[in-house]
Amino acid sequence: MSGSPKYRPDIDGLRALAVLPVAGFHLGFRPLGGGFVGVDVFFVISGFLIGQIILEETRAGTFTLGGFYARRIRRLFPALFVMLAVTAAVSALVLYPAYFDDFGRSLVAAAASVSNFYFLSTANYFDAAVETKPLLHTWSLAVEEQFYLTFPLIALALAKRSIAAVRGAFVAMFLVSLGWSAWTATHDSHAAFYLPHLRAWELLLGVLLALGVGLRPKTYLTRSIAAILGVALIVAPIFLYDANTVFPGLGALPPCLGAALLIVAGENGRHALMGAFCWRPTVFIGLISYSLYLWHWPIITLYQQYTGDLIIPWPLKLALLALSLAMATASWWFVERPFRRRARRAVPVLVLGGAAVASAAAVGALVVGFHGFPERFDPEVVRIASYLERPTSAAQRGKTCYLQASENRPFSDFDLEGCLRIRPAQTNILVFGDSHAQHLLSGLRSLWPSANILQATASGCRPLLGRSLRSAAACVTLKNYVYNSVITNPDIDLIIIAGRWDESHLARMERSFTALEPLASRVIIVGPIAQYDAAVPQLVALGRRFHDPGLADSHLRANIPTLDREVRRLAQRHGLTYFSAYETLCPARNCRQLNAEGVPYQYDYGHLTDEGSTFVTAHLLSDWRRSHHEPG
């Protein structure tokens, strides 16, 4: 029996519907806020096609693991490793040492098909910092490859069973994985996104289709209804989902079911949308979809890292998409097709595949071993760039007084006794807020070592009454505890409230500032800090490389001065002391990025380095002491 199922052009059309929204989402086309669901459509397609091959061959007794893995290597490895090689070469020219070192680690992980585990520990898929990771997209390839390693073994184990038993076993695995994914998505969405057993149900849905599970529409009308519903279930999430959607879990179910409906709708005849899915341009995009997926993300991220332009204007978005399509076409024509057409024995293919993995991993290890090859750049550029993503202090990264949202820490992990203990003999200062409160701690502890610093901080947790859609349960519990049981303590001498404010917080500020009015003499509201659309050390380093000292200023977020005035107005209306972190760093809108020693004040888009924290808090304490006639 053939190792390839009958060719269906409509499935290539479905691939086009999957890959274009992914590319559009990564390019930042705003309407496509849920374009990431295209990956889920790919998973269903892969499960269906691989399921057909393996299940037919195991039933016929012609299946061999060596032959299967050799076909997968011929299908996936040539285009993948060409992309890895070119991306590594360009990254060596573009990425600063800290980012290039991280690239080396991700290259090892991608070559070994475990990049989903690597990015699980290093990158939230929806964070801004992912623009520094040109191989982030390989997480989905790793999930598929891990499925290819395990699924054939399961299929072989079930080969002697009846078809009913096989279907029952895979239905059970599907339901367990789906239920586990749904639970995890609401408790640890980061893990649910990357872990293979929590994504397995999407591939298993395709396997179930290959096994004949589910109804098959038999008439043109029912096939058309299934196809139209399938498109709706895919397209609606593309436009309605965004980075705040609970995903994957049940959120991934609509696009996966949509893919399944389109697969079965085209299985036994035409339907109303068949012409669109079999249209030659659509099919062509499907044919190059694998290469397009491989190339588009490195092209986008390396452009952003070279220019510092994280916000890409529309004409350049279209140009980058066109370049991605051109690279994908060349990759499909010159790399994918020749290797897929050459039938080779399994052993040489496996050996060559292993050699490719070892070579890419060796290059990655070399990059890591030489710390990102800092010799590639001028020493001053390297020194400034060394502050990229630099943790500001061990205290800021404390594990008990600062709950990391990415770690999904429960409120029980917060050390109430240690973090909020009052010491009557000392000056007690409460710092309350998110990471933009957290980054003030280094300066406070340095400038006022005799004070007792109380800390109530959690990432992404705005210190405002009420709950936003993004609020984690631990954040809400922490805020309620502080408002109800901490800030009213008369032994607290100073309460510093800070957050990464935006315009959407103004209404909740009104309510929260009203509640703080009785404590006005002890409260300082810290306004928004200067923020950029890329990391400050990167922008300053780029300015040095391109001899453009104003480059960093051109990347300032334009809304901060207006927001600073709005928050000041609200705070002062409620009698609260206001401190402008923005004006401290940007007097008369002339922003400072470096101190006198050339150390960046901020290490990413806005968080303060130790030096920046000391500079800002020195002004904060000076203003407070002057207004309260305190000694310096």
Side-chain angles (χ1 to χ4, degrees):
M1 185 172 292
S2 172
S4 298
K6 178 184 175 182
Y7 174 65
R8 286 179 50 184
D10 63 304
I11 288 185
D12 273 326
L14 180 55
R15 285 192 175 107
L17 181 58
V19 74
L20 289 176
V22 174
F25 170 72
H26 285 152
L27 280 164
F29 287 108
R30 286 193 176 182
L32 306 179
F36 51 86
V37 303
V39 173
D40 305 271
V41 175
F42 274 125
F43 283 158
V44 177
I45 296 171
S46 294
F48 173 69
L49 296 177
I50 296 304
Q52 277 189 318
I53 293 170
I54 293 178
L55 295 169
E56 288 178 7
E57 291 189 355
T58 52
R59 284 198 292 265
T62 60
F63 178 79
T64 64
L65 286 173
F68 171 75
Y69 293 136
R71 288 197 301 270
R72 289 294 88 201
I73 288 171
R74 290 208 330 265
R75 171 71 178 95
L76 301 176
F77 275 27
L80 171 63
F81 281 91
V82 168
M83 181 276 293
L84 292 178
V86 174
T87 302
V90 178
S91 296
L93 300 173
V94 171
L95 297 182
Y96 292 117
Y99 291 162
F100 195 44
D101 180 271
D102 178 70
F103 172 84
R105 298 172 194 275
S106 66
L107 178 58
V108 174
S113 300
V114 293
S115 56
N116 56 326
F117 291 103
Y118 176 73
F119 292 119
L120 173 65
S121 64
T122 61
N124 187 315
Y125 183 79
F126 298 104
D127 281 351
V130 298
E131 283 90 353
T132 67
K133 302 179 185 299
L135 300 182
L136 177 71
H137 65 318
T138 62
W139 75 268
S140 64
L141 304 181
V143 168
E144 284 201 30
E145 287 158 3
Q146 289 153 22
F147 176 78
Y148 298 152
L149 285 174
T150 55
F151 173 66
L153 301 176
I154 297 170
L156 281 174
L158 296 173
K160 301 296 178 68
R161 306 283 182 177
S162 68
I163 188 64
V166 172
R167 287 173 176 167
F170 281 112
V171 166
M173 285 184 273
F174 167 82
L175 292 174
V176 169
S177 176
L178 173 59
W180 199 348
S181 175
W183 185 88
T184 308
T186 60
H187 292 78
D188 189 351
S189 59
H190 191 50
F193 193 90
Y194 287 116
L195 290 178
H197 60 288
L198 303 176
R199 290 285 194 164
W201 67 269
E202 303 180 37
L203 291 132
L204 288 171
L205 178 58
V207 171
L208 293 177
L209 298 179
L211 280 167
V213 175
L215 298 175
R216 262 39 181 193
K218 293 183 172 57
T219 67
Y220 179 84
L221 176 61
T222 55
R223 288 195 297 270
S224 297
I225 292 172
I228 293 169
L229 180 57
V231 169
L233 287 171
I234 295 172
V235 171
I238 289 171
F239 289 99
L240 297 178
Y241 286 8
D242 60 23
N244 299 311
T245 302
V246 177
F247 194 87
L250 296 180
L253 198 54
C256 288
L257 289 176
L261 284 170
L262 283 163
I263 289 171
V264 298
E267 203 168 35
N268 297 313
R270 297 184 61 82
H271 54 71
L273 302 181
M274 186 65 79
F277 279 93
C278 293
W279 187 40
R280 291 184 67 180
T282 309
V283 171
F284 178 73
I285 296 296
L287 289 171
I288 67 169
S289 61
Y290 175 57
S291 283
L292 179 57
Y293 183 80
L294 288 177
W295 283 102
H296 81 282
W297 181 247
I299 286 171
I300 294 167
T301 54
L302 291 173
Y303 164 81
Q304 290 174 317
Q305 293 310 300
Y306 180 70
T307 63
D309 295 331
L310 298 190
I311 299 175
I312 306 172
W314 269 82
L316 276 173
K317 289 179 183 180
L318 295 175
L320 292 173
L321 179 59
L323 177 60
S324 300
L325 287 166
M327 291 295 292
T329 301
S331 173
W332 173 70
W333 186 264
F334 294 110
V335 181
E336 283 192 68
R337 292 173 74 251
F339 278 93
R340 290 178 70 180
R341 288 181 172 181
R342 292 178 187 170
R344 296 181 180 272
R345 289 179 299 161
V347 172
V349 172
L350 294 171
V351 170
L352 288 172
V357 170
S359 299
V363 171
L366 197 64
V367 172
V368 175
F370 282 87
H371 308 290
F373 291 102
E375 300 82 4
R376 294 171 296 132
F377 300 105
D378 178 87
E380 178 63 8
V381 169
V382 172
R383 186 192 64 77
I384 293 170
S386 69
Y387 288 86
L388 285 166
E389 299 296 338
R390 175 175 174 254
T392 55
S393 73
Q396 268 195 294
R397 299 300 175 187
K399 297 299 184 183
T400 55
C401 298
Y402 180 63
L403 296 175
Q404 285 273 18
S406 62
E407 297 172 0
N408 286 273
R409 303 291 291 275
F411 178 67
S412 59
D413 284 356
F414 187 83
D415 183 6
L416 288 174
E417 178 64 24
C419 303
L420 298 174
R421 178 183 296 171
I422 300 288
R423 300 183 188 275
Q426 296 176 255
T427 300
N428 291 281
I429 303 174
L430 170 65
V431 177
F432 177 32
D434 57 18
S435 60
H436 285 230
Q438 177 82 358
H439 69 185
L440 301 172
L441 287 163
S442 174
L444 281 171
R445 289 177 174 136
S446 172
L447 295 168
W448 203 339
S450 63
N452 176 43
I453 310 294
L454 291 78
Q455 181 180 348
T457 51
S459 63
C461 188
R462 312 294 181 264
L464 301 173
L465 290 169
R467 178 172 189 165
S468 72
L469 292 176
R470 304 180 186 183
S471 296
C475 167
V476 175
T477 306
L478 177 64
K479 290 192 299 182
N480 289 340
Y481 182 83
V482 171
Y483 272 104
N484 295 329
S485 306
V486 180
I487 61 174
T488 54
N489 191 314
D491 289 326
I492 297 180
D493 302 284
L494 175 61
I495 302 168
I496 299 173
I497 297 178
R500 186 183 182 184
W501 312 119
D502 63 42
E503 290 78 2
S504 69
H505 299 134
L506 294 174
R508 291 170 60 213
M509 281 182 179
E510 185 79 57
R511 177 185 169 195
S512 303
F513 292 177
T514 299
L516 292 168
E517 284 182 6
L519 310 169
S521 63
R522 296 187 281 142
V523 173
I524 294 179
I525 302 297
V526 180
I529 202 153
Q531 296 177 44
Y532 299 76
D533 60 22
V536 172
Q538 178 189 15
L539 294 171
V540 176
L542 281 170
R544 296 291 175 97
R545 286 177 64 192
F546 299 150
H547 308 290
D548 181 3
L551 187 146
D553 288 330
S554 68
H555 288 266
L556 276 162
R557 294 184 178 174
N559 68 318
I560 300 300
T562 301
L563 181 61
D564 185 52
R565 290 193 298 269
E566 287 292 314
V567 180
R568 180 195 294 273
R569 180 183 60 80
L570 269 176
Q572 292 179 342
R573 196 170 76 207
H574 290 279
L576 306 175
T577 300
Y578 184 78
F579 174 74
S580 176
Y582 170 76
E583 289 185 353
T584 300
L585 285 177
C586 302
R589 298 203 181 187
N590 182 24
C591 291
R592 305 179 175 102
Q593 283 94 30
L594 305 177
N595 68 7
E597 288 73 41
V599 176
Y601 282 125
Q602 294 163 289
Y603 65 87
D604 60 5
Y605 73 90
H607 290 104
L608 296 168
T609 59
D610 285 342
E611 294 78 4
S613 181
T614 299
F615 177 78
V616 170
T617 53
H619 284 75
L620 183 153
L621 293 175
S622 175
D623 288 358
W624 180 73
R625 285 165 172 158
R626 186 168 53 250
S627 65
H628 287 74
H629 309 290
E630 294 282 337

